[in-house]
Amino acid sequence: MVSKRLFLSAIITCLSVIAVAQSVRTHINFDTDWKFHRGHAADAARDFNYSLETIFSKSGSAWGTPADPAFDDKNWEDVQLPHDWVVGLPFQYVKNNDIDGHGYKPVGGLFPENSIGWYRKSFEMNRADSGNRFVIQLDGVYRDSKVWINGYYVGGNFSGYNGASYDITDFIRFNKTNVLVVRADASQYEGWFYEGAGIYRHVWLNTINNVHVATEGGVYVHTAAKTVTIETKVVNKNIHPANASVYTVITDRSGKKIAQGKEVPFTLAINESRTVKQELNIPAATLWSLENPYLYRAIVIVKSEGRVADSVQVRFGVRTITVDKDKGLFVNGLPVKVKGVCCHQDHAGVGVALPDQLQYYRIGLLKEMGANAYRTSHNPPTPELLDACDSLGMLVLDEPRLLNSGTEYENQFRQLILRDRNHPSVFMWSIGNEEFATQRTDIGKRIAQNQILLQQELDPSRTSTYAANMGNDFKGVNEVIPVRGFNYNLYGVDGYHKDHPNQPVIGTEVASTVTTRSIYVKDTVRAYVPDYDSTYPSWASTAEQWWQLAAKRDWFMGGFAWTGFDYRGEPTPYNWPNINSHFGIMDMCGFPKNVYYYYQAWWTDKDILHIAPHWNWPGKEGQPVLVWINTNADNVELFLNGKSLGKKDMPRNGHLRWTVNYEPGTLEAVAFKNGKKITSKVETTGKAARIILTPSKTTLSADNEDAVVVNVSAVDAQGREVPDAADLIHFSTEGGAVIIGVGNGDPSSHEPDQCVTGAWQRSLFGGKAQVIIRANNKQGAVSFKAEGNGLQTATLTL
């Protein structure tokens, strides 16, 4: 199946370029028809004798293991990528910091039976394709992967986050079955948060000519004003020298050709590579911005011996990024305060194996909140996340796994830059995060200097920062980093800026309020914290505290709140039964918490008036309830059952509070914003009567990849959403789609996210749940049903 990205870009490209691109290079999705089986990190017999067979002693000698193409895998599980084998494991309590940090999932060194995964895929190659080169591209395998083709070992990748590509040309069998095998070893963690395990990103088979654009960083597109510079690295893998040439065509988003460069000829020796630099002008260029993320296409065409040999398409944006020590960040010459969030890469129901559509869904939720920047903490992101940020208009602070200039990690940083430097959304690089043992030392300074110089060599169009939890401290990394990044310690920013006025400052990690959606009373048994912007760890601050500081200082570039979404693992401030974080502005499903509306009030121009909590408090009649209002109106008057509880002016970048003695009925807020009346209310509801289904979209592509998020809620007999409903809901589908995950945002829920061995179900938490559905390749309607005891069933047709 041709990749969705190639297909979409080909549609909008002029017909002559389409013909060229399709005739010389293919990018085939390899996500379907895999076989999977867990191995064992400590028992060779349960790991298919991997550690006993001498499969590395002779080339192609993979006998007796799953790497052998003749191995019988018919009883293995059928899986489709992306795949995370950890998300389906049960929760298990172990008193261990790494286990709780990873969400109490039994994976890692203490659980050898769950920490090895084997994957096998069989495929055919037509002899008519011989003469080309074939490259397997794995975008991400967690972790420490090894790859074989037809019994031949072709390479491995230590990283669980950087992708890897392998030229398998010499090992291909034409008109016969080929077998691709991947072994993933997740027995050693890389981070201290949920990381999953398996081939959790896409796999591709690329077919290319012997004279081709380099597979790693082969095209570099960067812009200055309306000038587009394209640097193309061409490689000759023929068994003889080649006469080659390169030229570039630029199209607008509709496919219209707007510029074409001159054809540049050159000669390549055997195994020689050469970089060709071209400059093209785009008259009256439409700038890429947060409000209008306009994308052009650069189509690089390589000829060999007078015939088209290769073609690569790159999406890019025309935009400028300027960092000023006194005024902060500028995009296209206009000031932009960074209203950012840090995020890990997992989501409820699917772990780290997110369908592409879910990347767009999550970025869309952040945009709706008012966020304009995303920090990929603390690892290289999946490529489709950056595609979503390019398309929707979201700045990205791109970050490697850790700060280290040794060969392994320097190469990881190099690969990250080469892969991501064409994305207009990437406005700055981070070289690392909170290296406690290193960041204040001379060694840390030297490592940082190496990584900074590498970044400037590979991408001189951007600058870099480092996420330092060091306060007003100029030692080590901070001595050389171009932009000083603050992780918390905001009490030190004024003193630091005064002492080092020529170093720009950004909040690389701020806030860290802990809240539980829909819970307004501290509960140490269930490990819940109130859904107000009031509870935070000792190192952190509330949302209001950091944003008031940032908003008042032009030189403070803004910052990245920890975190946009809850994530599995790193439970704070409680441990078991809590199995995921409370840091999110939204929960793991993307349902907003109360603090969401604080940010939305001050990060957008929308009319925001939000009341917390809900008004269902049976048994608390006459008792005080803290009412918290987030709004960007000028003033607010609060009413309980029609009686005024007083009127208050709204402080800039603040919130309002009332203490109200509870009585059932209606709590209503009436506000005025520039003379315009705004109202909002919460009501005491009846019990849940029927189910409501809200899909993220109503049409799916029958491509085995497309996905839809269906949010589930319950309403009473009057149609009012019941905010404390906890009913168990059962789900089923018919037609061309399958359920791949469920969630509800409850940070202490031990219900399974994946119910593949039985019926799919999930309890409502705070009145909500979520189902993620993935398309298969069947045409026609999809029927989705949600049922609950005593509730009117809901059916959705896609």
Side-chain angles (χ1 to χ4, degrees):
M1 182 177 62
V2 177
S3 79
K4 187 180 298 181
R5 282 183 286 174
L6 178 60
F7 179 71
L8 291 174
S9 60
I11 286 177
I12 65 163
T13 308
C14 55
L15 292 177
S16 61
V17 176
I18 291 176
V20 168
Q22 291 180 337
S23 66
V24 296
R25 174 181 285 247
T26 61
H27 185 55
I28 308 299
N29 184 282
F30 248 34
D31 286 351
T32 58
D33 301 323
W34 286 83
K35 291 286 192 175
F36 170 75
H37 202 292
R38 287 205 297 271
H40 200 291
D43 184 344
R46 295 166 66 185
D47 198 29
F48 308 102
N49 292 325
Y50 171 73
S51 60
L52 298 181
E53 297 290 344
T54 55
I55 63 175
F56 296 105
S57 62
K58 294 289 185 179
S59 184
S61 60
W63 306 301
T65 72
D68 182 352
F71 182 87
D72 184 2
D73 61 14
K74 66 176 180 294
N75 293 323
W76 286 23
E77 179 185 354
D78 295 315
V79 298
Q80 177 173 327
L81 309 182
H83 178 244
D84 175 0
W85 81 68
V86 173
V87 69
L89 296 176
F91 298 99
Q92 184 170 335
Y93 176 71
V94 174
K95 191 174 182 181
N96 177 281
N97 288 338
D98 282 328
I99 298 299
D100 68 36
H102 285 77
Y104 294 101
K105 288 290 187 176
V107 66
L110 295 178
F111 302 95
E113 70 278 12
N114 294 330
S115 299
I116 303 294
W118 287 91
Y119 293 85
R120 289 170 51 90
K121 179 180 173 64
S122 299
F123 62 99
E124 305 289 330
M125 294 295 294
N126 195 313
R127 186 172 298 279
D129 292 326
S130 64
N132 291 311
R133 303 205 71 80
F134 306 97
V135 176
I136 284 290
Q137 173 186 331
L138 297 98
D139 285 345
V141 182
Y142 195 87
R143 180 194 162 278
D144 197 7
S145 59
K146 290 178 171 50
V147 181
W148 293 263
I149 181 73
N150 295 330
Y152 289 87
Y153 179 68
V154 294
N157 185 18
F158 172 85
S159 172
Y161 298 97
N162 283 68
S165 294
Y166 306 99
D167 191 321
I168 60 172
T169 305
D170 295 342
F171 314 108
I172 287 293
R173 302 192 296 199
F174 295 102
N175 295 341
K176 294 182 180 179
T177 299
N178 295 273
V179 181
L180 174 65
V181 179
V182 179
R183 182 182 189 266
D185 182 348
S187 56
Q188 176 69 50
Y189 302 126
E190 283 195 62
W192 53 94
F193 38 83
Y194 179 84
E195 298 179 278
I199 309 178
Y200 70 100
R201 295 178 182 174
H202 294 303
V203 175
W204 312 91
L205 174 63
N206 299 317
T207 304
I208 54 179
N209 192 280
N210 283 307
V211 177
H212 58 266
V213 175
T215 56
E216 185 178 83
V219 178
Y220 176 30
V221 181
H222 49 102
T223 63
K226 298 175 183 178
T227 299
V228 181
T229 301
I230 305 102
E231 300 181 38
T232 304
K233 184 179 180 181
V234 182
V235 180
N236 177 28
K237 284 293 183 177
N238 276 315
I239 59 174
H240 52 74
N243 295 313
S245 63
V246 172
Y247 68 96
T248 302
V249 173
I250 293 178
T251 73
D252 63 15
R253 63 162 54 150
S254 68
K256 178 183 177 182
K257 185 170 73 173
I258 58 175
Q260 179 170 331
K262 294 181 179 180
E263 191 169 336
V264 180
F266 51 92
T267 300
L268 290 171
I270 300 170
N271 281 331
E272 184 183 6
S273 64
R274 180 170 300 187
T275 298
V276 176
K277 184 175 181 180
Q278 299 172 287
E279 290 187 351
L280 283 73
N281 291 318
I282 301 179
T286 301
L287 300 181
W288 184 95
S289 66
L290 298 169
E291 300 75 24
N292 181 29
Y294 192 94
L295 294 170
Y296 291 93
R297 267 72 173 177
I299 302 99
V300 177
I301 298 167
V302 177
K303 288 184 176 181
S304 177
E305 309 303 333
R307 301 179 62 183
V308 173
D310 197 9
S311 179
V312 173
Q313 300 184 47
V314 175
R315 298 196 313 172
F316 70 95
V318 179
R319 58 104 181 96
T320 60
I321 297 292
T322 305
V323 175
D324 185 271
K325 62 184 178 62
D326 299 316
K327 296 295 184 180
L329 179 69
F330 289 78
V331 179
N332 300 325
L334 300 175
V336 172
K337 184 71 78 171
V338 174
K339 303 169 183 175
V341 293
C342 303
C343 290
H344 284 312
Q345 61 177 1
D346 62 311
H347 189 89
V350 294
V352 295
L354 275 66
D356 295 352
Q357 187 62 36
L358 197 49
Q359 306 286 0
Y360 286 81
Y361 179 76
R362 285 163 61 94
I363 297 301
L365 293 177
L366 293 171
K367 289 276 291 187
E368 180 69 18
M369 183 185 78
N372 63 14
Y374 185 108
R375 177 180 170 218
T376 68
S377 44
H378 306 287
N379 49 263
T382 186
E384 290 73 28
L385 171 77
L386 297 182
D387 289 343
C389 292
D390 288 344
S391 298
L392 299 179
M394 178 74 71
L395 297 173
V396 174
L397 179 62
D398 210 348
E399 186 168 273
R401 175 66 286 282
L402 51 75
L403 178 68
N404 190 321
S405 58
T407 300
E408 171 67 38
Y409 289 104
E410 181 185 279
N411 283 338
Q412 288 188 21
F413 192 40
R414 179 188 305 275
Q415 291 165 0
L416 174 69
I417 295 172
L418 291 177
R419 189 195 70 171
D420 294 351
R421 60 187 179 177
N422 291 325
H423 289 277
S425 57
V426 177
F427 79 107
M428 190 182 296
W429 303 101
S430 166
I431 66 169
N433 172 75
E434 293 187 359
E435 296 285 355
F436 307 111
T438 302
Q439 60 189 6
R440 286 183 169 87
T441 68
D442 187 61
I443 290 176
K445 176 181 176 180
R446 281 178 274 156
I447 293 172
Q449 187 69 77
N450 182 86
Q451 302 301 78
I452 293 165
L453 292 174
L454 178 64
Q455 178 261 303
Q456 292 172 347
E457 172 196 346
L458 299 175
D459 181 24
S461 71
R462 297 177 178 90
T463 189
S464 58
T465 187
Y466 167 75
N469 56 331
M470 294 169 62
N472 187 0
D473 193 328
F474 194 62
K475 297 177 182 176
V477 176
N478 286 343
E479 295 181 61
V480 294
I481 196 70
V483 177
R484 168 65 207 272
F486 269 83
N487 278 20
Y488 314 108
N489 298 288
L490 296 184
Y491 59 85
V493 295
D494 286 326
Y496 190 90
H497 177 64
K498 181 180 179 181
D499 294 342
H500 311 285
N502 294 320
Q503 192 177 35
V505 173
I506 189 171
T508 38
E509 192 169 314
V510 293
S512 278
T513 301
V514 286
T515 59
T516 309
R517 179 182 61 80
S518 79
I519 301 296
Y520 294 92
V521 178
K522 181 179 179 180
D523 184 341
T524 58
V525 175
R526 290 290 292 162
Y528 296 147
V529 285
D531 195 6
Y532 302 107
D533 183 26
S534 57
T535 308
Y536 56 94
S538 59
W539 68 82
S541 67
T542 66
E544 192 168 317
Q545 287 168 347
W546 93 263
W547 181 246
Q548 286 187 350
L549 182 149
K552 294 175 182 177
R553 292 159 174 80
D554 288 344
W555 51 265
F556 193 81
M557 209 176 302
F560 295 86
W562 187 265
T563 53
F565 301 89
D566 278 345
Y567 53 93
R568 182 63 42 82
E570 206 170 31
T572 306
Y574 306 112
N575 293 313
W576 186 269
N578 181 202
I579 45 79
N580 66 252
S581 81
H582 285 89
F583 293 116
I585 300 167
M586 291 174 273
D587 68 17
M588 285 197 66
C589 296
F591 297 134
K593 302 182 187 179
N594 190 33
V595 72
Y596 172 100
Y597 299 98
Y598 172 79
Y599 286 112
Q600 192 177 49
W602 303 115
W603 283 5
T604 76
D605 294 327
K606 301 173 184 177
D607 294 336
I608 304 301
L609 180 58
H610 181 264
I611 306 172
H614 58 74
W615 213 237
N616 285 10
W617 298 100
K620 294 193 69 172
E621 287 78 7
Q623 297 181 35
V625 174
L626 175 60
V627 175
W628 194 296
I629 291 184
N630 284 307
T631 183
N632 49 17
D634 301 322
N635 52 65
V636 178
E637 187 171 7
L638 191 64
F639 297 85
L640 177 59
N641 294 327
K643 180 181 178 181
S644 177
L645 302 179
K647 183 176 183 179
K648 298 183 180 182
D649 290 333
M650 186 69 204
R652 181 72 180 170
N653 295 317
H655 72 282
L656 295 174
R657 299 189 199 191
W658 277 262
T659 299
V660 180
N661 291 330
Y662 175 68
E663 64 179 57
T666 301
L667 188 67
E668 183 177 22
V670 178
F672 286 88
K673 181 180 178 183
N674 298 324
K676 178 183 177 181
K677 184 179 180 180
I678 310 168
T679 63
S680 181
K681 65 181 180 180
V682 291
E683 294 182 285
T684 306
T685 72
K687 66 177 183 178
R690 60 189 176 94
I691 301 168
I692 299 295
L693 302 177
T694 306
S696 59
K697 60 180 184 175
T698 57
T699 301
L700 286 167
S701 299
D703 61 0
N704 283 312
E705 290 186 57
D706 202 5
V708 59
V709 176
V710 180
N711 291 328
V712 184
S713 58
V715 297
D716 67 7
Q718 298 182 46
R720 299 173 298 187
E721 189 169 297
V722 182
D724 53 351
D727 302 76
L728 179 64
I729 312 296
H730 302 272
F731 308 108
S732 60
T733 59
E734 292 182 1
V738 294
I739 300 171
I740 60 171
V742 293
N744 62 11
D746 181 354
S748 295
S749 174
H750 298 169
E751 294 178 278
D753 282 2
Q754 297 189 342
C755 313
V756 292
T757 58
W760 287 90
Q761 62 183 37
R762 194 65 181 236
S763 299
L764 300 177
F765 175 70
K768 297 182 182 298
Q770 186 175 86
V771 181
I772 301 169
I773 299 173
R774 186 185 64 212
N776 54 32
N777 58 5
K778 295 179 182 178
Q779 299 288 335
V782 176
S783 178
F784 172 71
K785 183 184 291 186
E787 304 172 276
N789 187 29
L791 301 178
Q792 182 179 332
T793 298
T795 302
L796 177 68
T797 300
L798 304 170

